[in-house]
């Protein structure tokens, strides 16, 4: 498929409670195509009741906005989502951090670790080929001493490489600082998302 | 001196390689504290190098602190000679690269806490000393004037 047909890619990254989802969801709603849906790809696993509550809260928040979100729950192998997408859809991927840990820290996959990076960037391309916009949310976990435990270190290194790759490919990249979206790359056309810094 | 910082695995080294590619094509010294102990840092360049990069200053400080508790001696022993070297000729340039390790949970081990504190203090001094400070965010730089001047000089690039 020609590159021009690839979905626009937007990257939103920040710390915990930085407002990345709120800004990302606003962008998604504003960029949504007339015939397209808002497709939320949720990668979180329902591991305990707190996580369950968190997921339900996010779902309720989206429903309350009545923007017609569709949720796909998928922990790994996100290329499976492609068959549920239409080219007009806006995809909101929450989030790269969890997706990578799901891919890396499953049983018996250690031998595949080197392939995880390639597999994820390929999957992002598949998602872009199948939609009109892809918004990827991720966490900034790079501002502390890197843990020396082998798997954790490998995880952070891979996540850093993925962030660099996504930013290099992105049409727009946003660093979230305490609710304020800081545009690091490209232009963000949503007036609403720009103003959110004041509102949140 | 120019100070390049940002989170781990954010592409700081790659950014320096690209931003200063002309200087790096000529004779230069690139010392990585991740690959060699800071004790191995040469005191001078033997050739006609005009460009010196010290990468991983936080790691250099960490190994230094394992033997010494006085963090100021780190600057005196390892950085001051290069800052002086830079001053001696117009074309000389010193680049220091350091990972930001300041924003996580307070470490439980005393050694880690001390290292983190001293790295923070060191970076304040470097920022004050630098002509430019470059914050790297996944390959994208934001450049500010050093010396605590709160002014954006360049746009993101």
């Amino acid at each position: 498929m020609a590159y021009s047909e690839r979905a626009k890619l937007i990257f939103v990254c920040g710390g915990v409670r930085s407002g990345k989802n709120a800004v990302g969801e606003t962008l998604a709603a504003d960029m949504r195509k007339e015939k397209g849906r808002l497709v939320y790809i949720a990668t979180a696993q329902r591991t305990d009741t707190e996580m369950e509550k968190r997921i339900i809260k996010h779902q309720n928040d989206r429903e309350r906005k009545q923007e017609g979100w569709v949720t796909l729950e998928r922990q790994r192998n996100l290329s499976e989502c492609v068959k549920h997408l239409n080219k007009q859809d806006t995809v909101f991927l929450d989030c790269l951090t969890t997706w990578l840990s799901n891919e890396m820290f499953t049983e018996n996959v250690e031998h595949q670790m080197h392939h995880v990076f390639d597999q994820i960037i390929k999957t992002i391309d598949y998602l872009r080929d199948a939609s009109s916009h892809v918004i990827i949310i991720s966490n900034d976990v790079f501002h502390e001493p890197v843990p020396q435990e082998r798997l954790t270190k490998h995880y952070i290194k891979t996540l850093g490489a993925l962030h660099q790759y996504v930013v290099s490919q992105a049409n727009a990249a946003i660093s979230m600082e305490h609710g304020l979206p800081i545009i690091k790359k490209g232009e963000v056309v949503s007036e609403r998302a720009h103003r959110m810094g004041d509102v949140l | 001196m120019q100070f390049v910082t940002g989170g781990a695995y954010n592409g700081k080294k790659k950014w320096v390689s690209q931003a200063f590619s002309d200087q790096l094509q000529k004779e230069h010294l690139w010392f990585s504290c991740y690959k060699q102990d800071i004790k191995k840092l040469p005191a001078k360049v033997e050739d006609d190098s005009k460009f010196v990069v010290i990468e991983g200053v936080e790691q250099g400080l960490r190994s230094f602190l394992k033997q010494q508790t006085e963090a100021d001696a780190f600057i005196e022993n390892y950085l001051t000679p290069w800052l002086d070297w830079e001053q001696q000729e117009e074309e000389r340039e010193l680049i220091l690269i350091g990972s930001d390790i300041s924003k996580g949970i307070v470490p439980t081990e005393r050694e880690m806490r001390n290292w983190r504190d001293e790295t923070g203090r060191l970076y304040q001094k470097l920022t004050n000393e630098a002509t430019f400070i470059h914050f790297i965010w996944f390959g994208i730089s934001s450049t500010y004037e050093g010396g605590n001047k709160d002014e954006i000089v360049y746009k993101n690039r």
Side-chain angles (χ1 to χ4, degrees):
Chain A
M1 197 171 278
Y3 183 78
S4 59
E5 290 177 60
R6 250 182 203 162
K8 286 221 164 87
L9 181 64
I10 292 108
F11 182 61
V12 184
C13 181
V16 177
R17 301 278 147 246
S18 62
K20 12 181 225 310
N21 280 54
V23 163
E25 285 171 25
T26 303
L27 280 174
D30 284 7
M31 289 183 306
R32 174 196 203 165
K33 297 252 175 156
E34 210 173 307
K35 288 176 189 163
R37 302 166 302 164
L38 293 172
V39 180
Y40 190 100
I41 301 180
T43 57
Q45 315 206 31
R46 293 171 188 251
T47 45
D48 59 23
T49 51
E50 192 274 335
M51 207 63 213
E52 183 95 31
K53 276 185 194 159
R54 213 180 252 245
I55 290 169
I56 290 167
K57 182 191 175 294
H58 272 232
Q59 280 175 349
N60 289 342
D61 285 350
R62 290 195 297 274
E63 273 167 30
R64 226 180 5 253
K65 286 191 277 190
Q66 297 188 321
E67 292 163 338
W69 286 88
V70 179
T71 303
L72 299 176
E73 280 194 46
R74 186 89 209 168
Q75 278 85 46
R76 59 186 74 85
N77 300 325
L78 265 53
S79 52
E80 291 292 311
C81 294
V82 167
K83 58 176 180 255
H84 303 289
L85 294 175
N86 303 316
K87 191 64 191 145
Q88 300 296 306
D89 290 345
T90 293
V91 173
F92 182 96
L93 203 167
D94 182 19
C95 62
L96 184 54
T97 337
T98 313
W99 178 18
L100 177 63
S101 71
N102 293 343
E103 296 285 1
M104 274 178 70
F105 301 121
T106 48
E107 285 173 78
N108 306 319
V109 293
E110 208 184 311
H111 63 283
Q112 298 178 355
M113 283 212 310
H114 299 294
H115 304 300
V116 170
F117 177 86
D118 293 338
Q119 188 195 326
I120 285 184
I121 64 172
K122 245 185 251 165
T123 304
I124 292 171
D125 283 347
Y126 295 151
L127 293 171
R128 290 178 76 189
D129 287 340
S131 62
S132 77
H133 292 85
V134 173
I135 297 165
I136 297 180
I137 304 295
S138 200
N139 278 74
D140 199 327
V141 295
F142 304 92
H143 295 269
E144 59 184 321
V146 177
Q148 288 309 297
E149 195 274 311
R150 197 176 62 89
L151 282 179
T152 317
K153 186 176 179 176
H154 188 79
Y155 170 79
I156 292 178
K157 191 174 179 177
T158 308
L159 186 64
L162 283 169
H163 283 196
Q164 287 183 49
Y165 172 81
V166 171
V167 169
S168 75
Q169 298 298 305
N171 300 84
I174 301 170
S175 168
M176 287 302 302
E177 297 288 351
H178 318 294
L180 183 71
I182 295 172
I183 318 294
K184 293 283 193 178
K185 181 182 180 183
E187 297 218 344
V188 176
V189 285
S190 167
E191 277 295 315
R192 249 186 341 140
H194 271 299
R195 280 202 308 272
M196 287 184 86
D198 308 328
V199 178
L200 285 168
Chain B
M1 181 268 287
Q2 302 190 40
F3 180 42
V4 180
T5 188
Y9 306 120
N10 267 245
K12 298 184 291 299
K13 181 183 175 180
K14 190 177 172 191
W15 182 82
V16 169
S17 305
Q18 287 167 355
F20 300 100
S21 59
D22 290 350
Q23 290 91 327
L24 289 166
Q25 272 166 20
K26 299 176 198 152
E27 282 179 304
H28 67 275
L29 169 69
W30 185 302
F31 184 88
S32 170
C33 301
Y34 302 124
K35 292 179 181 154
Q36 283 188 288
D37 194 279
I38 189 72
K39 280 193 264 182
K40 301 263 172 64
L41 178 70
K44 57 182 178 188
V45 277
E46 300 294 345
D47 53 26
D48 197 31
S49 293
K50 307 260 189 263
F51 195 71
V52 171
V53 181
I54 303 174
E55 176 194 0
V57 285
E58 82 289 352
Q59 192 55 46
L61 177 63
R62 187 180 194 184
S63 57
F64 177 80
L65 288 173
K66 284 186 176 155
Q67 296 132 36
Q68 281 233 22
T69 46
E70 191 53 58
D72 283 343
F74 176 77
I75 300 182
E76 281 167 38
N77 292 359
Y78 297 109
L79 303 183
T80 307
W82 286 110
L83 289 164
D84 291 344
W85 166 86
E86 188 188 36
Q87 292 299 314
Q88 284 156 18
E89 267 186 53
E90 181 73 37
E91 316 93 273
R92 289 182 182 176
E93 188 77 73
L94 173 64
I95 308 291
L96 300 176
I97 311 177
S99 270
D100 178 9
I101 56 166
S102 67
K103 291 172 184 156
I105 297 161
V106 179
T108 48
E109 306 94 330
R110 190 195 170 104
E111 185 262 324
M112 290 283 277
R113 276 203 306 276
N114 184 47
W115 171 45
R116 206 171 72 138
D117 289 345
E118 292 304 341
T119 301
R121 291 192 184 104
L122 172 65
Y123 286 7
Q124 288 203 25
K125 287 173 187 157
L126 297 182
T127 300
N128 197 38
E129 193 74 27
T131 51
F132 294 109
I133 172 163
H134 310 275
F135 295 96
I136 311 301
W137 185 82
F138 308 119
I140 293 176
S141 69
S142 302
T143 294
Y144 294 78
E145 262 191 50
N148 286 338
K149 276 177 245 161
D150 189 19
E151 184 187 346
I152 300 177
V153 180
Y154 298 125
K155 287 193 165 175
N156 296 333
R157 57 178 176 182

